[in-house]
Amino acid sequence: MSGFVGRSIRETVVSDPEAGPYGIAVGPDDALWVTLVHAGQILRLTVDEKCDTYDLDSPTCGPSTITAGPDGALWFTRFRDHRIGRISVDGHATSVPLPTAGGPFGITTGPDGALWFTQMHTDRIGRITYDGALTEFELPTRGAMPSAITAGPDDALWFTLNQAHAIGRITLDGNVTSYPLPTANAAPVGIAAGVDGALWFVEIGAGQIGSITPDGQLHNFPLPDRACRPHAIVARPEGGCWFTEWGANRVGLIAPDGTIEEHDLPTPSSEPHGITVGPDGAVWTALEIGKVARLTP
């Protein structure tokens, strides 16, 4: 199912192979912002491939996922030193420490204008305002490992529970609901709000794409290669979602009806992680080998 006519993939070297491009998001400046998880850096890449790299205050802080904030800056999780980071579009970076060693991973802007994030080590969902005020909400399940998080169409936040094999929902006042997945050991990771009003997520353990409606109706779509290890997912403006296949070196597209389109990446074992739709309409993917891939829409 690879190599659909009409799409091409270009890879751009953005760092040395050890730096580890991981998360990727579009900034308010219409550039691509990338976390370098192993180097403790944030990278800015324009669509015409001009690249700038900004050092953080710790090379071992583990910047992971990144999102555009409500204040014209980019916000990101620092998984290894348990901080929430912020970087302005001119490269000025600051961070806020968490009260506990929570292992923050997923982050998104909520419907209330705050940043909401997951804490994998402590089974908590965190909330931080643009002026640094922190709130934490404990989840009812221990060892659930909350991972990615996104704002839903229902003014709530939706997140994956990787080790509980479930999808979680939290309201702005902290009320939590959990939806167990029907497939054993599904291990969901990435999650995104689709234009169809459903939440779409990847099951890295089961090799499936799933969707859940705000009222809790679940659907699963097995991928052709169940060992492909899908990792991250982003909504497509025209409908459906793009996703990365970390274990199979591919970028995939799922249509609203479950039809799958897949594309092999040019470099073997490139480890695709974060994915976003760029300001140019193309699909951009962070490759941990030190590259960013662009797939034409």
Side-chain angles (χ1 to χ4, degrees):
M1 292 186 128
S2 302
F4 274 58
V5 175
R7 304 195 196 276
S8 64
I9 300 176
R10 182 181 74 244
E11 293 181 347
T12 301
V13 175
V14 295
S15 70
D16 65 65
E18 289 74 36
Y22 191 86
I24 187 168
V26 178
D29 56 350
D30 283 341
L32 287 305
W33 289 79
V34 183
T35 59
L36 301 182
V37 65
H38 302 310
Q41 297 172 321
I42 303 293
L43 181 144
R44 179 183 184 272
L45 178 69
T46 63
V47 294
D48 57 0
E49 300 184 354
K50 179 186 176 185
C51 188
D52 295 292
T53 303
Y54 303 101
D55 293 330
L56 301 176
D57 55 5
S58 167
T60 60
C61 66
S64 298
T65 59
I66 188 167
T67 192
D71 57 346
L74 286 299
W75 291 72
F76 56 96
T77 51
R78 294 171 45 149
F79 181 79
R80 295 187 185 131
D81 69 352
H82 317 293
R83 289 174 171 262
I84 300 300
R86 176 189 183 275
I87 188 167
S88 61
V89 293
D90 59 0
H92 177 66
T94 57
S95 66
V96 176
L98 300 181
T100 56
F105 181 73
I107 190 167
T108 192
T109 297
D112 56 351
L115 285 303
W116 290 72
F117 57 93
T118 60
Q119 299 186 60
M120 295 179 73
H121 295 339
T122 55
D123 295 305
R124 294 176 182 176
I125 301 298
R127 175 186 183 272
I128 186 169
T129 61
Y130 65 85
D131 57 359
L134 271 168
T135 310
E136 294 182 319
F137 302 94
E138 289 197 22
L139 299 177
T141 304
R142 299 294 90 192
M145 197 180 289
S147 300
I149 187 168
T150 193
D154 54 349
D155 287 336
L157 287 301
W158 291 75
F159 52 94
T160 53
L161 293 166
N162 180 263
Q163 289 302 292
H165 313 293
I167 302 300
R169 176 185 184 270
I170 186 169
T171 61
L172 297 181
D173 58 1
N175 184 39
V176 176
T177 308
S178 179
Y179 300 90
L181 297 178
T183 305
N185 302 314
V189 182
I191 188 168
V195 298
D196 60 346
L199 289 303
W200 290 76
F201 54 91
V202 293
E203 300 177 16
I204 196 170
Q208 297 184 147
I209 306 296
S211 72
I212 184 170
T213 59
D215 61 359
Q217 296 183 45
L218 280 159
H219 300 278
N220 276 320
F221 304 93
L223 295 172
D225 176 6
R226 300 296 289 272
C228 68
R229 309 288 287 175
H231 183 269
I233 190 166
V234 66
R236 183 176 182 241
E238 306 93 317
C241 292
W242 292 97
F243 59 93
T244 54
E245 296 184 15
W246 171 69
N249 205 53
R250 299 188 193 108
V251 171
L253 171 65
I254 183 166
D257 64 357
T259 302
I260 304 292
E261 173 185 323
E262 295 175 305
H263 301 273
D264 295 313
L265 292 165
T267 303
S269 302
S270 60
E271 297 191 58
H273 286 294
I275 190 167
T276 194
V277 176
D280 56 351
V283 183
W284 295 76
T285 305
L287 310 179
E288 200 167 340
I289 58 167
K291 298 180 179 181
V292 169
R294 178 187 183 274
L295 187 148
T296 57

